[in-house]
Amino acid sequence: MVLLSPPPGAKGAGVNSLHLVIRNALVATASDTFPCDIGIRDGRIALLGAGLPAGDREIDARGRTVTPGGVDAHCHLDQPMDGPARMADDFITGTRSAACGGTTTVIPFAAQAKGQSLAAAVQDYHARAEGKAAVDYAFHLIVSDPTPRVLAQELPALIARGYTSFKVYMTYDDLKLDDGQMLDVLDVARQHGAMAMVHAENADCIAWLTKRLEAAGRTAPRWHAQARPMLVEREATHRAIALSQLVDVPILIVHVSGREAIEQIRWARAQGLQVFAETCPQYLFLTAEDLGIDDSYHGARCICSPPPRDKGNQEVIWNGLADGLFTVFSSDHAPFTYEGEHGKKPGGEEVAFRHIPNGIPGLETRLPLLYSEGVLGGRITLQKFVELTATNPAKAYGLHPGKGTIAVGSDADLVVWDERELVLRNEQLHHAVDYTPYAGMRLKAWPGLTLSRGEVVWDGQSFTGRAGHGRFLPCGQPSLLPRRA
Ligand code: URP
Ligand code: ZN
Ligand code: ZN
């Protein structure tokens, strides 16, 4: 437990007094680890140093590691869906869950439906978030219908207003773009300095394989992985890289699952191309066997796209995290319940894999999993952990240095780590999903305290934040991209 106490001999608040001092922290940034007190005023870090003056309130970190609050740059909350599927987490439950797992900034997606104006999608998404978030949030856009008006007017206007990143899909019938559309959208990213995120899987290969599997009666959840083998990801990754090269614009390939896509990204980097990459916990901790080794429906819980691969590919992903191949580590939290009518059993029925909503929950477990298995497991340094989970996502999407670091002037978004053994259970999580794919895993750490702009939102036992504390963050130009004049 972290002690919250008035400081000895506190004099009361003056205009320049510190509102909160975190004493005896072992501060970790993407570049250094150093012992330090952290002085906070008006929600921002005002002073860093030894022996800071007394604050109105004090927390003794007792030498524990303090990292920047996590920035989860890929999560889905209350995203409008067709049909019976409905996301279990809205901005209330999703951001509460984020806070309890040490994440203090989330970037979900304002998704354009085909035929819809992009501006209308953004307006609708603001209405879904307004007054509900417990931590700060920004929006990526999803561009699914790049009409001439969207390309010439809406997208540039939204980029100028702080929506500086967007995702495009090469698969899913309701979202996918063809190559010509991808080129048009990438060209807008180049002209206006936005970050383009790409979901790289070959839609036609998946459709062809799915038809063949269904014709053979192979419809159980485990066949989802067979319908999306690594080559469909490899081919689309290669094509996305080629399209970005043609347009001469950087891209970020999201949720990279294994060796074949990684080989394409390494090849692109060797050519000097700016290709960034993201991976997610499911590719470190799950395999295709979690989708089932027989025809039972249970594996529907782990259906996501691209699917988890095998142990060998998990090792390749770990290596990519350690050696700089990956820029960001996100959850891709896509929350659907297992039971009920709106999740993995649409209409309450066990259905063929192609009809099972894709995605797994992970907002709350992203940081503890990587800290436990990566940092304490000796696979990545503490600096790499901070870079992947906070600093780089803030830079990639134009939120740094306000977010993603511990520095004077940055928001006081902080995590104090408790290094203790625990066995993960869904009951201890704060999302609205009825399972976690990581149940039963033994972890070595969990956030003991999370602060969002100087407010304690998780005290190690309970959620102590409030819906409405979280603010919308307009994003600046991604600082991983070359500066625009
Ligand atoms: O299966 C996944 N990843 N679902 C979420 C949507 C997406 O493509 O990221
Ligand atoms: Zn995706
Ligand atoms: Zn996603």
Side-chain angles (χ1 to χ4, degrees):
M1 269 294 283
V2 173
L3 301 175
L4 283 167
S5 61
K11 291 271 184 334
V15 262
N16 289 322
S17 72
L18 295 169
H19 298 148
L20 176 64
V21 175
I22 302 179
R23 294 217 181 266
N24 306 315
L26 187 62
V27 169
T29 67
S31 56
D32 300 291
T33 303
F34 49 94
C36 193
D37 297 341
I38 306 170
I40 296 165
R41 187 185 303 126
D42 295 328
R44 293 221 174 103
I45 298 172
L47 288 173
L48 289 169
L52 293 190
D56 300 340
R57 286 189 313 139
E58 303 230 340
I59 293 172
D60 187 355
R62 301 199 312 262
R64 282 174 298 172
T65 300
V66 179
T67 57
V71 178
D72 196 337
H74 185 161
C75 55
H76 303 268
L77 299 175
D78 199 13
Q79 202 172 300
M81 315 270 315
D82 284 339
R86 193 185 302 153
M87 290 195 174
D89 281 315
D90 62 7
F91 277 82
I92 294 180
T93 60
T95 59
R96 175 182 76 191
S97 173
C100 299
T103 287
T104 50
T105 303
V106 294
I107 319 184
F109 296 84
Q112 178 198 28
K114 287 200 196 287
Q116 186 188 29
S117 117
L118 197 49
V122 170
Q123 199 181 4
D124 168 71
Y125 208 48
H126 271 293
R128 289 168 184 259
E130 191 62 44
K132 292 188 180 153
V135 299
D136 293 345
Y137 60 99
F139 293 167
H140 302 295
L141 309 173
I142 289 175
V143 182
S144 71
D145 198 0
T147 62
R149 182 181 160 79
V150 164
L151 294 169
Q153 294 168 35
E154 291 196 3
L155 196 44
L158 286 165
I159 294 168
R161 282 174 41 210
Y163 308 88
T164 58
S165 49
F166 50 77
K167 183 173 175 187
V168 288
Y169 284 80
M170 299 170 84
T171 188
Y172 297 135
D173 288 345
D174 51 343
L175 295 171
K176 71 177 184 215
L177 304 187
D178 64 29
D179 290 355
Q181 291 173 314
M182 291 263 295
L183 289 168
D184 283 342
V185 175
L186 291 176
D187 195 34
V188 176
R190 187 183 63 80
Q191 287 180 49
H192 298 274
M195 178 65 89
M197 309 158 74
V198 182
H199 179 133
E201 288 185 294
N202 181 312
D204 286 344
C205 291
I206 294 167
W208 188 82
L209 285 167
T210 302
K211 251 198 311 201
R212 286 175 70 111
L213 287 163
E214 285 181 341
R218 295 173 166 176
T219 59
R222 68 173 158 137
W223 297 107
H224 172 85
Q226 306 296 319
R228 305 175 104 100
M230 284 210 283
L231 87 81
V232 312
E233 185 186 9
R234 180 233 299 164
E235 186 283 326
T237 302
H238 184 86
R239 187 156 36 101
I241 290 167
L243 299 177
S244 78
Q245 184 177 11
L246 193 57
V247 175
D248 188 21
V249 69
I251 50 168
L252 189 149
I253 311 283
V254 294
H255 43 51
V256 172
S257 74
R259 180 176 49 78
E260 295 197 19
I262 284 180
E263 282 166 0
Q264 299 304 313
I265 295 162
R266 287 201 197 281
W267 174 84
R269 297 254 181 97
Q271 312 304 304
L273 302 175
Q274 273 196 296
V275 176
F276 302 105
E278 173 202 78
T279 194
C280 313
Q282 46 272 37
Y283 307 116
L284 293 175
F285 301 111
L286 302 179
T287 68
E289 289 197 357
D290 290 299
L291 275 63
I293 48 173
D294 57 23
D295 281 353
S296 79
Y297 200 74
H298 195 256
R301 297 164 192 238
C302 295
I303 283 195
C304 61
S305 296
R309 306 299 180 184
D310 59 20
K311 292 272 180 211
N313 279 286
Q314 291 180 348
E315 287 304 311
V316 176
I317 298 283
W318 277 116
N319 291 340
L321 288 171
D323 73 11
L325 184 279
F326 287 111
T327 317
V328 293
F329 184 74
S330 309
S331 68
D332 194 8
H333 179 82
F336 298 100
T337 57
Y338 181 68
E339 299 296 349
E341 294 178 15
H342 303 298
K344 297 288 185 177
K345 297 179 183 169
E349 303 288 330
E350 295 188 0
V351 297
F353 71 81
R354 79 149 84 204
H355 302 295
I356 299 173
N358 281 206
I360 61 175
L363 249 176
E364 194 165 344
T365 45
R366 175 184 71 121
L367 295 181
L369 284 170
L370 193 66
Y371 193 96
S372 292
E373 296 300 312
V375 179
L376 300 181
R379 289 176 174 273
I380 58 168
T381 64
L382 186 53
Q383 272 53 61
K384 185 54 88 177
F385 170 85
V386 173
E387 180 188 301
L388 287 162
T389 59
T391 312
N392 273 356
K395 287 182 176 175
Y397 301 116
L399 294 171
H400 187 266
K403 300 295 186 189
T405 190
I406 299 179
V408 171
S410 297
D411 285 351
D413 289 359
L414 302 164
V415 181
V416 182
W417 284 91
D418 274 350
E419 295 183 11
R420 63 180 167 93
E421 298 252 322
L422 67 136
V423 178
L424 191 57
R425 289 176 301 109
N426 193 52
E427 295 68 39
Q428 76 205 45
L429 302 180
H430 299 78
H431 57 196
V433 185
D434 55 358
Y435 74 98
T436 167
Y438 311 111
M441 273 186 71
R442 287 181 181 279
L443 302 190
K444 302 183 190 80
W446 198 268
L449 199 69
T450 308
L451 286 91
S452 164
R453 281 183 278 105
E455 304 271 325
V456 176
V457 291
W458 162 250
D459 68 3
Q461 307 287 324
S462 321
F463 172 65
T464 53
R466 66 178 170 82
H469 164 82
R471 293 182 189 153
F472 175 70
L473 304 166
C475 296
Q477 202 209 328
S479 52
L480 289 180
L481 300 183
R483 284 231 76 71
R484 294 171 59 78

